[in-house]
Amino acid sequence: MSILDRFTLRNKMIASFILFGILPVGITAFISVKKNQETLLAASKDKLLVIRETKAKQIEDLFEGMKHQVSSLAKNKVTIEAIKDFSDAVKKIPREHKLSGNIDQAKSSLESFYIEEFASEYKRKNNSTILSGEMLNKLDKTSIYAQYSYISKNENPLGSKDQLYKADDNTSWSKVHNRYHNTFRQFLTEFGYYDIFLVDLEGRIIYSVFKELDFMTSLEDGPFAKSNLADAFHKANDLDLNDGPVIVDLLQYLPSYNDSASFIAIPVFDKETKVGTLIFQIPVNKIDNIMTNNRKWLETGFGASGESYLIGHDKSMRSISRFIVEEPENYFSMADQIGLSEESLDYIRAKNTTVLSQRVDSEGSRRVVLGETGFDIFKDYRGVNVLSSFRPLNIPGLNWYVLSEIDEDEALQSKEFMLLNLTLFLVTFMVIAVFSWFFSSTLSKRIGAIAQRLRMSCKKTTEFSSTLKGAADSVAEGATEQASAIQETVASLDEISAMLNRSVGNTEKSSETAKNSENIIAQGKGAIEDMAKAINDISESNRNITSSIADSNKKVENIVIVIQEIANKTKVINDIVFQTKLLSFNASVEAARAGEHGKGFAVVAEEIGNLATMSGTAASEIEKMLTENIKNVRNAIDSSSKQVEHHVANGKSKIESGIKIANECTKIFDKVVQDVSLISKMSSEIASASKEQSEGVNNITIAMNQLDSTTNKNSDVAHETAEISDNLLSQISVLIQLAMQLEHEVEGSRMRYNNLSAVRSSSSKASSRADEDNLLDLDQAA
């Protein structure tokens, strides 16, 4: 038994209504969400494309502006004069400085600054120590004196050393510094650069605005000769007059406490003579502000997870990640997933930035560093699926790339839309549940009642079918017996028809003989008339008269013979009449046996008997007339012979008497002609009646054959009715089982059909073994 049989029809219908009602709603909601996601995807793609292009343009414009600014400042006369003046003055520092004879004092002061102030600030900003003595050992006298005057002895705190315009070291360089420092400082403040450097042709930094540890050092052999600042100097120093500035990529820069630093540099020419190099330290904060919208991602339309960032050719970030700013704890919790080394983690924690430390090894970064521009969905550096729009930046000298991304989950979901779909789904579910409960309860009750009524009706139909089967069997037996009787009747009618056909033939022959007799009598009458004429000549020759009388006698004998033949034929007619009466009697008997179906045939048989009786009466009358005529003819012949002989013997006196007798013979022959004509007419009527009888018998035969066919068909129909009754009983048994199964489906009961045996017993008398098998199949299915 299936597990579904444990539930009622109402519960099944409720479950079905809910399932097939919620399913379309769910599919519609799914399609709607899918379409909404496609729309959101297209909108997010367009939005990211706009953001990417906006950020790329801003960064490209930033560097283009810096290139223009450094180029303009390098061509400014103030810059040219400043480099020449600083270059001349820097050479005089060792001998002009007031501590020129006591360098150890300057070095000791500077060492204290390196160890106490710079190293402490470095440790605070990097969570690590630095051996500052190695840097100090690489400084020459010029560097030591200059850093002593403007760094260690400068009373302004770290980060504010630019506030000193002129030290009291009595050097020409300080005078030059006092003359130009305000100009460069204002330029730096106005355009937001981190620092501005002037470098002479030997590679010494002869001026900087903020006076960090790189101040007055040599980029050729000083402590920062391998920095990217030195790289910028060397690349710019190789440029010609009309060449544009060079830009070097971001690297950690020690004088800036290992913060990331990038430089843009250009040579300075006095007319066609190179006098030095102008270098700007690019403001990294400007890059971050552009890429982060001043760290206002949410307020500027980036949502909860959107960001734009820069990477270099090494796939490391060149701008800060949003997630280190907004969710540092979550960011560091994903350190293993992100794939950060301990060194990178320490740097990120210390600097609170991902620049140069967070490597982006995603599908987008791999494609963009190959020069591809595009949009796709992939896992970002956090291992989260993002929508990303990327392209390379067009900044000569920098292999930088911009990526604008947002989490897929955020981009492709609309909270309001999802809430609306959920609300619609819940409301639909409640409506369908209430409707299905009410409808299923009502319908299941009605179906249950119908099933009970159907089962009762099937039982009644079973009783009626049994009765119908019995009646059909009786009709089939009666039809079989009736068909047998009709076949016997048809055989008898065939015999009657054959006899009537023979009677018709004999009657036609009798009629033809009567006609021949009539012709002969007519001929005899003519002969008598000739004889009457010849009597007038009797006197001439008795021999001729005797011969004529002899001929006449022969002819009369022939007439007698013909009349006797007619009499004999009349006897045949009497025999036919007798046989016809006998057959009519037999037909009446068979019609009586046929019952209602033979009534019409009995009437026909009676009519045939009546016709036979009339034919017999007519034949008797003809026979009687012929007998009398034969006697009359013989008497006339005898009398005529005697008279002829008497007249012949007596001569002429008797001729008159002969003539008289001839006249009498003529009258008699007229009467004979009349009688023969009547006989011919009656024979024709008998022939016509016999034909009608034959046609009637043929019609009766046809009717009986049709009756026989109908009876056979009735028999077949009766047998078919009996078979159909058997099949009907079988089907009613199955129908009862279906009705009980329907009740079972409605009630959800585990019961088997206990009254199966009763159904089988009620139909066992008429059902076949195949029907019983059907019931067993239903029982097993239940």
Side-chain angles (χ1 to χ4, degrees), residues 259-284:
D259 287 346
S260 57
S262 177
F263 302 94
I264 181 170
I266 191 170
V268 179
F269 287 86
D270 183 10
K271 296 182 180 178
E272 296 183 358
T273 302
K274 185 185 299 182
V275 295
T277 302
L278 174 64
I279 301 176
F280 289 172
Q281 186 171 349
I282 294 173
V284 177

PDB file of all heavy atoms in Angstrom, residues 259-284:
ATOM      1  N   ASP A 259      56.655  54.712   4.466  1.00  0.00           N
ATOM      2  CA  ASP A 259      55.388  54.858   3.752  1.00  0.00           C
ATOM      3  C   ASP A 259      55.645  54.698   2.256  1.00  0.00           C
ATOM      4  O   ASP A 259      56.782  54.821   1.790  1.00  0.00           O
ATOM      5  CB  ASP A 259      54.781  56.233   4.029  1.00  0.00           C
ATOM      6  CG  ASP A 259      54.229  56.339   5.439  1.00  0.00           C
ATOM      7  OD1 ASP A 259      54.084  55.286   6.090  1.00  0.00           O
ATOM      8  OD2 ASP A 259      53.960  57.460   5.885  1.00  0.00           O
ATOM      9  N   SER A 260      54.561  54.414   1.523  1.00  0.00           N
ATOM     10  CA  SER A 260      54.711  54.284   0.078  1.00  0.00           C
ATOM     11  C   SER A 260      54.951  55.653  -0.534  1.00  0.00           C
ATOM     12  O   SER A 260      54.333  56.657  -0.128  1.00  0.00           O
ATOM     13  CB  SER A 260      53.454  53.648  -0.524  1.00  0.00           C
ATOM     14  OG  SER A 260      52.315  54.404  -0.194  1.00  0.00           O
ATOM     15  N   ALA A 261      55.841  55.679  -1.513  1.00  0.00           N
ATOM     16  CA  ALA A 261      56.203  56.948  -2.136  1.00  0.00           C
ATOM     17  C   ALA A 261      56.456  56.730  -3.612  1.00  0.00           C
ATOM     18  O   ALA A 261      56.997  55.699  -4.029  1.00  0.00           O
ATOM     19  CB  ALA A 261      57.428  57.551  -1.476  1.00  0.00           C
ATOM     20  N   SER A 262      56.022  57.728  -4.384  1.00  0.00           N
ATOM     21  CA  SER A 262      56.256  57.720  -5.825  1.00  0.00           C
ATOM     22  C   SER A 262      56.762  59.103  -6.208  1.00  0.00           C
ATOM     23  O   SER A 262      56.406  60.103  -5.565  1.00  0.00           O
ATOM     24  CB  SER A 262      54.973  57.392  -6.575  1.00  0.00           C
ATOM     25  OG  SER A 262      55.182  57.447  -7.958  1.00  0.00           O
ATOM     26  N   PHE A 263      57.571  59.162  -7.272  1.00  0.00           N
ATOM     27  CA  PHE A 263      58.219  60.422  -7.629  1.00  0.00           C
ATOM     28  C   PHE A 263      58.060  60.707  -9.110  1.00  0.00           C
ATOM     29  O   PHE A 263      58.041  59.792  -9.939  1.00  0.00           O
ATOM     30  CB  PHE A 263      59.708  60.382  -7.276  1.00  0.00           C
ATOM     31  CG  PHE A 263      59.961  60.113  -5.810  1.00  0.00           C
ATOM     32  CD1 PHE A 263      60.175  58.818  -5.353  1.00  0.00           C
ATOM     33  CD2 PHE A 263      59.982  61.158  -4.900  1.00  0.00           C
ATOM     34  CE1 PHE A 263      60.405  58.569  -4.012  1.00  0.00           C
ATOM     35  CE2 PHE A 263      60.222  60.912  -3.544  1.00  0.00           C
ATOM     36  CZ  PHE A 263      60.420  59.616  -3.101  1.00  0.00           C
ATOM     37  N   ILE A 264      57.957  62.021  -9.412  1.00  0.00           N
ATOM     38  CA  ILE A 264      57.946  62.485 -10.800  1.00  0.00           C
ATOM     39  C   ILE A 264      59.097  63.472 -10.936  1.00  0.00           C
ATOM     40  O   ILE A 264      59.270  64.366 -10.111  1.00  0.00           O
ATOM     41  CB  ILE A 264      56.598  63.128 -11.159  1.00  0.00           C
ATOM     42  CG1 ILE A 264      56.608  63.581 -12.613  1.00  0.00           C
ATOM     43  CG2 ILE A 264      56.217  64.240 -10.207  1.00  0.00           C
ATOM     44  CD1 ILE A 264      55.227  64.016 -13.110  1.00  0.00           C
ATOM     45  N   ALA A 265      59.925  63.273 -11.959  1.00  0.00           N
ATOM     46  CA  ALA A 265      61.174  64.044 -12.064  1.00  0.00           C
ATOM     47  C   ALA A 265      61.375  64.553 -13.482  1.00  0.00           C
ATOM     48  O   ALA A 265      60.935  63.907 -14.448  1.00  0.00           O
ATOM     49  CB  ALA A 265      62.359  63.185 -11.637  1.00  0.00           C
ATOM     50  N   ILE A 266      62.063  65.714 -13.572  1.00  0.00           N
ATOM     51  CA  ILE A 266      62.367  66.307 -14.877  1.00  0.00           C
ATOM     52  C   ILE A 266      63.659  67.097 -14.759  1.00  0.00           C
ATOM     53  O   ILE A 266      63.917  67.743 -13.735  1.00  0.00           O
ATOM     54  CB  ILE A 266      61.212  67.211 -15.339  1.00  0.00           C
ATOM     55  CG1 ILE A 266      61.410  67.613 -16.808  1.00  0.00           C
ATOM     56  CG2 ILE A 266      61.038  68.411 -14.437  1.00  0.00           C
ATOM     57  CD1 ILE A 266      60.183  68.305 -17.406  1.00  0.00           C
ATOM     58  N   PRO A 267      64.495  67.044 -15.757  1.00  0.00           N
ATOM     59  CA  PRO A 267      65.740  67.842 -15.691  1.00  0.00           C
ATOM     60  C   PRO A 267      65.436  69.334 -15.871  1.00  0.00           C
ATOM     61  O   PRO A 267      64.453  69.694 -16.521  1.00  0.00           O
ATOM     62  CB  PRO A 267      66.571  67.297 -16.841  1.00  0.00           C
ATOM     63  CG  PRO A 267      65.573  66.723 -17.803  1.00  0.00           C
ATOM     64  CD  PRO A 267      64.447  66.226 -16.966  1.00  0.00           C
ATOM     65  N   VAL A 268      66.292  70.155 -15.266  1.00  0.00           N
ATOM     66  CA  VAL A 268      66.145  71.621 -15.356  1.00  0.00           C
ATOM     67  C   VAL A 268      67.287  72.144 -16.222  1.00  0.00           C
ATOM     68  O   VAL A 268      68.466  71.832 -15.986  1.00  0.00           O
ATOM     69  CB  VAL A 268      66.180  72.263 -13.961  1.00  0.00           C
ATOM     70  CG1 VAL A 268      66.057  73.775 -14.080  1.00  0.00           C
ATOM     71  CG2 VAL A 268      65.058  71.697 -13.099  1.00  0.00           C
ATOM     72  N   PHE A 269      66.855  72.891 -17.264  1.00  0.00           N
ATOM     73  CA  PHE A 269      67.832  73.435 -18.198  1.00  0.00           C
ATOM     74  C   PHE A 269      67.843  74.958 -18.095  1.00  0.00           C
ATOM     75  O   PHE A 269      66.787  75.587 -18.010  1.00  0.00           O
ATOM     76  CB  PHE A 269      67.490  73.028 -19.627  1.00  0.00           C
ATOM     77  CG  PHE A 269      67.759  71.573 -19.934  1.00  0.00           C
ATOM     78  CD1 PHE A 269      66.814  70.603 -19.662  1.00  0.00           C
ATOM     79  CD2 PHE A 269      68.978  71.207 -20.502  1.00  0.00           C
ATOM     80  CE1 PHE A 269      67.051  69.288 -19.961  1.00  0.00           C
ATOM     81  CE2 PHE A 269      69.223  69.873 -20.804  1.00  0.00           C
ATOM     82  CZ  PHE A 269      68.262  68.911 -20.531  1.00  0.00           C
ATOM     83  N   ASP A 270      69.078  75.504 -18.100  1.00  0.00           N
ATOM     84  CA  ASP A 270      69.248  76.955 -18.269  1.00  0.00           C
ATOM     85  C   ASP A 270      69.579  77.161 -19.726  1.00  0.00           C
ATOM     86  O   ASP A 270      70.724  76.959 -20.136  1.00  0.00           O
ATOM     87  CB  ASP A 270      70.362  77.476 -17.369  1.00  0.00           C
ATOM     88  CG  ASP A 270      70.524  79.004 -17.476  1.00  0.00           C
ATOM     89  OD1 ASP A 270      69.644  79.639 -18.095  1.00  0.00           O
ATOM     90  OD2 ASP A 270      71.524  79.519 -16.961  1.00  0.00           O
ATOM     91  N   LYS A 271      68.548  77.504 -20.470  1.00  0.00           N
ATOM     92  CA  LYS A 271      68.623  77.496 -21.929  1.00  0.00           C
ATOM     93  C   LYS A 271      68.873  76.071 -22.377  1.00  0.00           C
ATOM     94  O   LYS A 271      67.996  75.232 -22.229  1.00  0.00           O
ATOM     95  CB  LYS A 271      69.679  78.469 -22.422  1.00  0.00           C
ATOM     96  CG  LYS A 271      69.334  79.918 -22.067  1.00  0.00           C
ATOM     97  CD  LYS A 271      70.369  80.889 -22.616  1.00  0.00           C
ATOM     98  CE  LYS A 271      69.983  82.334 -22.236  1.00  0.00           C
ATOM     99  NZ  LYS A 271      70.993  83.312 -22.713  1.00  0.00           N
ATOM    100  N   GLU A 272      70.029  75.720 -22.854  1.00  0.00           N
ATOM    101  CA  GLU A 272      70.292  74.360 -23.302  1.00  0.00           C
ATOM    102  C   GLU A 272      71.236  73.613 -22.360  1.00  0.00           C
ATOM    103  O   GLU A 272      71.638  72.488 -22.648  1.00  0.00           O
ATOM    104  CB  GLU A 272      70.875  74.369 -24.709  1.00  0.00           C
ATOM    105  CG  GLU A 272      69.905  74.912 -25.743  1.00  0.00           C
ATOM    106  CD  GLU A 272      70.475  74.857 -27.153  1.00  0.00           C
ATOM    107  OE1 GLU A 272      71.645  74.434 -27.284  1.00  0.00           O
ATOM    108  OE2 GLU A 272      69.751  75.189 -28.101  1.00  0.00           O
ATOM    109  N   THR A 273      71.556  74.256 -21.264  1.00  0.00           N
ATOM    110  CA  THR A 273      72.496  73.657 -20.320  1.00  0.00           C
ATOM    111  C   THR A 273      71.730  73.074 -19.148  1.00  0.00           C
ATOM    112  O   THR A 273      70.938  73.762 -18.496  1.00  0.00           O
ATOM    113  CB  THR A 273      73.488  74.703 -19.802  1.00  0.00           C
ATOM    114  OG1 THR A 273      74.181  75.284 -20.922  1.00  0.00           O
ATOM    115  CG2 THR A 273      74.485  74.066 -18.849  1.00  0.00           C
ATOM    116  N   LYS A 274      71.974  71.809 -18.906  1.00  0.00           N
ATOM    117  CA  LYS A 274      71.317  71.151 -17.774  1.00  0.00           C
ATOM    118  C   LYS A 274      72.010  71.601 -16.501  1.00  0.00           C
ATOM    119  O   LYS A 274      73.233  71.499 -16.359  1.00  0.00           O
ATOM    120  CB  LYS A 274      71.399  69.647 -17.924  1.00  0.00           C
ATOM    121  CG  LYS A 274      70.638  68.864 -16.855  1.00  0.00           C
ATOM    122  CD  LYS A 274      70.837  67.358 -16.978  1.00  0.00           C
ATOM    123  CE  LYS A 274      70.331  66.818 -18.313  1.00  0.00           C
ATOM    124  NZ  LYS A 274      70.481  65.356 -18.390  1.00  0.00           N
ATOM    125  N   VAL A 275      71.200  72.032 -15.553  1.00  0.00           N
ATOM    126  CA  VAL A 275      71.763  72.549 -14.305  1.00  0.00           C
ATOM    127  C   VAL A 275      71.361  71.696 -13.103  1.00  0.00           C
ATOM    128  O   VAL A 275      71.912  71.880 -12.001  1.00  0.00           O
ATOM    129  CB  VAL A 275      71.307  74.002 -14.071  1.00  0.00           C
ATOM    130  CG1 VAL A 275      71.876  74.920 -15.159  1.00  0.00           C
ATOM    131  CG2 VAL A 275      69.793  74.115 -14.018  1.00  0.00           C
ATOM    132  N   GLY A 276      70.397  70.810 -13.272  1.00  0.00           N
ATOM    133  CA  GLY A 276      69.991  69.978 -12.146  1.00  0.00           C
ATOM    134  C   GLY A 276      68.686  69.244 -12.477  1.00  0.00           C
ATOM    135  O   GLY A 276      68.255  69.167 -13.637  1.00  0.00           O
ATOM    136  N   THR A 277      68.047  68.749 -11.438  1.00  0.00           N
ATOM    137  CA  THR A 277      66.810  67.971 -11.601  1.00  0.00           C
ATOM    138  C   THR A 277      65.786  68.415 -10.559  1.00  0.00           C
ATOM    139  O   THR A 277      66.129  68.595  -9.377  1.00  0.00           O
ATOM    140  CB  THR A 277      67.084  66.472 -11.431  1.00  0.00           C
ATOM    141  OG1 THR A 277      68.073  66.059 -12.392  1.00  0.00           O
ATOM    142  CG2 THR A 277      65.796  65.666 -11.632  1.00  0.00           C
ATOM    143  N   LEU A 278      64.536  68.563 -11.037  1.00  0.00           N
ATOM    144  CA  LEU A 278      63.419  68.901 -10.162  1.00  0.00           C
ATOM    145  C   LEU A 278      62.575  67.626  -9.945  1.00  0.00           C
ATOM    146  O   LEU A 278      62.175  66.990 -10.905  1.00  0.00           O
ATOM    147  CB  LEU A 278      62.542  69.981 -10.790  1.00  0.00           C
ATOM    148  CG  LEU A 278      61.240  70.334 -10.042  1.00  0.00           C
ATOM    149  CD1 LEU A 278      61.550  70.934  -8.678  1.00  0.00           C
ATOM    150  CD2 LEU A 278      60.396  71.298 -10.871  1.00  0.00           C
ATOM    151  N   ILE A 279      62.336  67.283  -8.665  1.00  0.00           N
ATOM    152  CA  ILE A 279      61.598  66.045  -8.340  1.00  0.00           C
ATOM    153  C   ILE A 279      60.473  66.380  -7.362  1.00  0.00           C
ATOM    154  O   ILE A 279      60.693  67.074  -6.362  1.00  0.00           O
ATOM    155  CB  ILE A 279      62.529  64.985  -7.716  1.00  0.00           C
ATOM    156  CG1 ILE A 279      63.683  64.632  -8.678  1.00  0.00           C
ATOM    157  CG2 ILE A 279      61.732  63.732  -7.362  1.00  0.00           C
ATOM    158  CD1 ILE A 279      64.696  63.671  -8.086  1.00  0.00           C
ATOM    159  N   PHE A 280      59.269  65.860  -7.703  1.00  0.00           N
ATOM    160  CA  PHE A 280      58.120  65.956  -6.792  1.00  0.00           C
ATOM    161  C   PHE A 280      57.879  64.578  -6.174  1.00  0.00           C
ATOM    162  O   PHE A 280      57.923  63.557  -6.872  1.00  0.00           O
ATOM    163  CB  PHE A 280      56.841  66.372  -7.528  1.00  0.00           C
ATOM    164  CG  PHE A 280      56.826  67.798  -8.000  1.00  0.00           C
ATOM    165  CD1 PHE A 280      55.795  68.248  -8.825  1.00  0.00           C
ATOM    166  CD2 PHE A 280      57.819  68.707  -7.638  1.00  0.00           C
ATOM    167  CE1 PHE A 280      55.754  69.561  -9.264  1.00  0.00           C
ATOM    168  CE2 PHE A 280      57.779  70.026  -8.074  1.00  0.00           C
ATOM    169  CZ  PHE A 280      56.741  70.456  -8.906  1.00  0.00           C
ATOM    170  N   GLN A 281      57.645  64.577  -4.851  1.00  0.00           N
ATOM    171  CA  GLN A 281      57.176  63.346  -4.222  1.00  0.00           C
ATOM    172  C   GLN A 281      55.645  63.366  -4.302  1.00  0.00           C
ATOM    173  O   GLN A 281      54.979  64.213  -3.714  1.00  0.00           O
ATOM    174  CB  GLN A 281      57.637  63.237  -2.772  1.00  0.00           C
ATOM    175  CG  GLN A 281      57.270  61.898  -2.144  1.00  0.00           C
ATOM    176  CD  GLN A 281      57.915  61.703  -0.772  1.00  0.00           C
ATOM    177  OE1 GLN A 281      58.793  62.481  -0.375  1.00  0.00           O
ATOM    178  NE2 GLN A 281      57.506  60.668  -0.050  1.00  0.00           N
ATOM    179  N   ILE A 282      55.124  62.407  -5.088  1.00  0.00           N
ATOM    180  CA  ILE A 282      53.689  62.402  -5.413  1.00  0.00           C
ATOM    181  C   ILE A 282      52.863  62.197  -4.149  1.00  0.00           C
ATOM    182  O   ILE A 282      53.190  61.341  -3.318  1.00  0.00           O
ATOM    183  CB  ILE A 282      53.398  61.303  -6.446  1.00  0.00           C
ATOM    184  CG1 ILE A 282      54.080  61.640  -7.768  1.00  0.00           C
ATOM    185  CG2 ILE A 282      51.905  61.098  -6.648  1.00  0.00           C
ATOM    186  CD1 ILE A 282      54.002  60.548  -8.811  1.00  0.00           C
ATOM    187  N   PRO A 283      51.813  62.957  -4.003  1.00  0.00           N
ATOM    188  CA  PRO A 283      50.948  62.820  -2.824  1.00  0.00           C
ATOM    189  C   PRO A 283      50.078  61.555  -2.921  1.00  0.00           C
ATOM    190  O   PRO A 283      49.069  61.535  -3.647  1.00  0.00           O
ATOM    191  CB  PRO A 283      50.097  64.077  -2.853  1.00  0.00           C
ATOM    192  CG  PRO A 283      50.056  64.475  -4.284  1.00  0.00           C
ATOM    193  CD  PRO A 283      51.359  64.049  -4.887  1.00  0.00           C
ATOM    194  N   VAL A 284      50.463  60.505  -2.199  1.00  0.00           N
ATOM    195  CA  VAL A 284      49.711  59.253  -2.228  1.00  0.00           C
ATOM    196  C   VAL A 284      48.293  59.459  -1.687  1.00  0.00           C
ATOM    197  O   VAL A 284      47.336  58.811  -2.125  1.00  0.00           O
ATOM    198  CB  VAL A 284      50.442  58.175  -1.414  1.00  0.00           C
ATOM    199  CG1 VAL A 284      49.643  56.878  -1.372  1.00  0.00           C
ATOM    200  CG2 VAL A 284      51.825  57.923  -1.999  1.00  0.00           C
TER     201      VAL A 284
END
